Amino acid sequence: KKKKKKQPFKRKPNMQCAVVLLALVAAISAVPVAPGKNWAVLVAGSNTWGNYRHQADVCHSYQVLVSHGFDKNNIIVMMYDDIAHNSENPTPGVIINEPNGPDVYHGVAKDYTGADVTPANFLKVLKGDKAGLQGVGTGRVLESGPEDNVFVFFSDHGGPNIIAFPTELLQASQLNDALKYMHTNKKYHELVFYLEACESGSMFNTLLPANINIYATTASDPTHSSYACYFDQKRGTYLGDVYSVNWLQDSDKANFKSETLLEQFQIVKKETNTSTVEQYGQLALSSETLDKFQAGATPLKALAAPATVPHPTMDAVSQREAQMTALKLKLAGATPAQRPVLMAQIAELQQRYTQIESTYMAIATLVAGDSASVHFGAAVAPTLAHLPCNEAAVQAFHDTCFNLGQVEYALKYAMTLTSLCEAGYPTNTILSAIRQTCNWN
């Protein structure tokens, strides 16, 4: 007899098990994923009373975030902090960012001040390098992760492929390398960067990838100045910067749950008619609403703004001309006793301006000969191909000729060096001309 082939055992469907399994899957799906946190880094890169406006911008941005419920423990502030209690401040302990505006300094928790305001420390904060900042300031850094959003705001002077700090420069390559590091190491879900500086577009143009979840807007394009605004006769300085004031005043009154980053960009671009506001990076992120980056869970009461605020462009002036213009405005309102001192300051500053211009012209002449005038002060956007030359030349000028973090007028002609690089002159030839011209150091 043939043996019957043994049939494989078949289990009858167990409906009870299936129901339990489905219920388990549904329960797991129903467990809410912990929402990411919002983090912010706010930086004023300058110091001295004449640069009042940059710290005012940053203090105002702190108040905007806090008034919209941002967790103070997640805000890192870097500012020199030599303005609020400056001997020139007629209202000690108070900083304002618009005419007759509210005090924006009170309550600002400062993490890095004075000599700790450096490019290296800023990059360590972004990268979350706690060990590198041990014993420096509060030592706080971004502790954000892959579910968290990060908002960065920087206000100061700038130039082609650089933004300035009191004694040092931050190169575009250094900043973008840090941002790429953050992406690679999952330091954020999405990151938004607002940058106030002259030629600020050059920090991201052709450099910031469009696929690493970063959206940036800048006060100007790669070849033009950004503008200071709101000269205050009582304080003898400018209170704000046009791009910064425009986004801050918009955020003061915006509905964060409905207004998008793109809408804010469009408002700021329209209102900032003194420079060309630009956007870079992953532009699709601009569809996100403001609350994803500038707010927290529980909004508080916003600062009381003055009933009427003049438009920031009413007296706007190029950041490079702000120091001289402020002196002339002070002179116009001076008493007879004050006039001689102010006139002497203006004459001294004009002499410095002439020295700066002649220095750039001398460098251009050594490099380009009869073609020097073509490059002097030319508005030439730096390109990726000549980035190493441009960064090396600007850094050498800063180290050898004038501190670009302190002498903002020297930044006005920094594109002379960019033009020489873009024309293809060897980097070593340009560096040699800088050393030869600035041999007083």
Side-chain angles (χ1 to χ4, degrees):
K1 284 185 178 179
K2 288 184 178 179
K3 289 184 179 180
K4 288 185 179 180
K5 192 174 181 181
K6 195 172 182 181
Q7 297 296 318
F9 176 74
K10 291 184 179 179
R11 185 183 295 275
K12 292 182 180 180
N14 187 326
M15 295 303 292
Q16 188 175 6
C17 287
V19 169
V20 170
L21 181 61
L22 287 172
L24 183 61
V25 170
I28 293 172
S29 301
V31 174
V33 177
K37 299 176 182 178
N38 283 355
W39 290 80
V41 180
L42 312 176
V43 181
S46 67
N47 63 350
T48 75
W49 184 255
N51 289 315
Y52 180 109
R53 58 194 182 276
H54 301 134
Q55 292 184 53
D57 294 339
V58 163
C59 288
H60 191 171
S61 71
Y62 183 93
Q63 303 297 347
V64 164
L65 299 188
V66 170
S67 69
H68 286 89
F70 212 104
D71 185 347
K72 295 179 182 179
N73 294 318
N74 289 1
I75 304 175
I76 299 166
V77 176
M78 179 177 282
M79 56 184 278
Y80 208 86
D81 198 24
D82 60 340
I83 299 301
H85 298 284
N86 194 292
S87 60
E88 294 190 59
N89 192 351
T91 55
V94 172
I95 295 177
I96 61 175
N97 196 216
E98 56 198 11
N100 303 312
D103 173 25
V104 294
Y105 182 73
H106 75 278
V108 176
K110 300 166 289 293
D111 295 282
Y112 301 96
T113 60
D116 294 335
V117 179
T118 68
N121 289 344
F122 173 47
L123 297 181
K124 288 173 185 175
V125 167
L126 291 180
K127 292 179 178 181
D129 183 4
K130 228 173 189 179
L133 287 172
Q134 189 172 2
V136 181
T138 63
R140 296 179 64 235
V141 299
L142 281 178
E143 296 185 52
S144 50
E147 301 300 324
D148 302 330
N149 287 343
V150 176
F151 177 71
V152 182
F153 173 49
F154 181 97
S155 181
D156 189 17
H157 296 289
N161 290 144
I162 58 133
I163 48 178
F165 282 74
T167 59
E168 300 173 58
L169 304 178
L170 177 61
Q171 306 278 12
S173 60
Q174 295 172 315
L175 176 59
N176 283 277
D177 285 349
L179 295 175
K180 292 172 190 174
Y181 172 92
M182 293 175 70
H183 177 257
T184 301
N185 290 275
K186 299 181 173 20
K187 295 289 185 182
Y188 63 87
H189 172 56
E190 294 172 344
L191 186 150
V192 168
F193 201 125
Y194 283 8
L195 178 54
E196 172 74 65
C198 296
E199 284 92 47
S200 46
S202 68
M203 294 298 288
F204 299 121
N205 186 43
T206 74
L207 294 169
L208 181 62
N211 61 351
I212 61 172
N213 278 8
I214 294 180
Y215 173 71
T217 77
T218 61
S220 62
D221 61 22
T223 60
H224 292 91
S225 173
S226 61
Y227 280 67
C229 64
Y230 291 151
F231 180 77
D232 185 279
Q233 192 70 45
K234 180 180 177 181
R235 292 168 176 81
T237 191
Y238 287 90
L239 304 178
D241 297 284
V242 178
Y243 160 86
S244 296
V245 165
N246 278 326
W247 84 256
L248 289 163
Q249 289 182 353
D250 179 64
S251 285
D252 278 334
K253 62 180 185 296
N255 182 333
F256 274 30
K257 291 192 177 298
S258 61
E259 185 171 320
T260 64
L261 292 167
L262 178 60
E263 288 171 329
Q264 183 160 85
F265 168 76
Q266 291 170 333
I267 290 168
V268 175
K269 187 176 180 69
K270 179 183 176 183
E271 296 298 324
T272 310
N273 56 20
T274 48
S275 61
T276 305
V277 176
E278 298 283 11
Q279 57 181 343
Y280 299 96
Q282 198 155 330
L283 303 188
L285 294 187
S286 65
S287 63
E288 298 276 23
T289 49
L290 296 179
D291 63 315
K292 299 292 193 301
F293 302 94
Q294 297 180 27
T298 310
L300 306 175
K301 187 177 180 181
L303 289 174
T308 57
V309 180
H311 197 278
T313 58
M314 68 167 190
D315 64 349
V317 61
S318 165
Q319 287 220 51
R320 276 71 181 271
E321 308 290 344
Q323 187 179 9
M324 179 64 83
T325 305
L327 281 173
K328 290 180 178 178
L329 289 170
K330 287 169 73 174
L331 180 63
T335 64
Q338 294 170 328
R339 289 180 64 82
V341 174
L342 289 167
M343 290 174 70
Q345 290 175 347
I346 290 170
E348 182 182 357
L349 189 59
Q350 186 57 61
Q351 188 176 12
R352 172 60 66 90
Y353 284 4
T354 301
Q355 182 189 19
I356 289 167
E357 292 168 11
S358 63
T359 299
Y360 276 110
M361 191 62 186
I363 293 169
T365 301
L366 284 173
V367 175
D370 294 340
S371 300
S373 60
V374 174
H375 302 287
F376 176 69
V380 177
T383 62
L384 192 58
H386 295 98
L387 178 67
C389 173
N390 187 66
E391 290 189 341
V394 174
Q395 185 67 51
F397 188 92
H398 169 78
D399 293 338
T400 313
C401 304
F402 296 95
N403 179 340
L404 296 175
Q406 296 292 326
V407 188
E408 59 265 29
Y409 190 76
L411 286 162
K412 179 177 181 178
Y413 296 98
M415 276 186 290
T416 300
L417 306 175
T418 305
S419 181
L420 293 171
C421 287
E422 294 296 326
Y425 290 102
T427 304
N428 285 339
T429 300
I430 299 171
L431 298 183
S432 177
I434 292 170
R435 288 191 294 268
Q436 186 176 337
T437 301
C438 301
N439 55 15
W440 61 77
N441 285 340

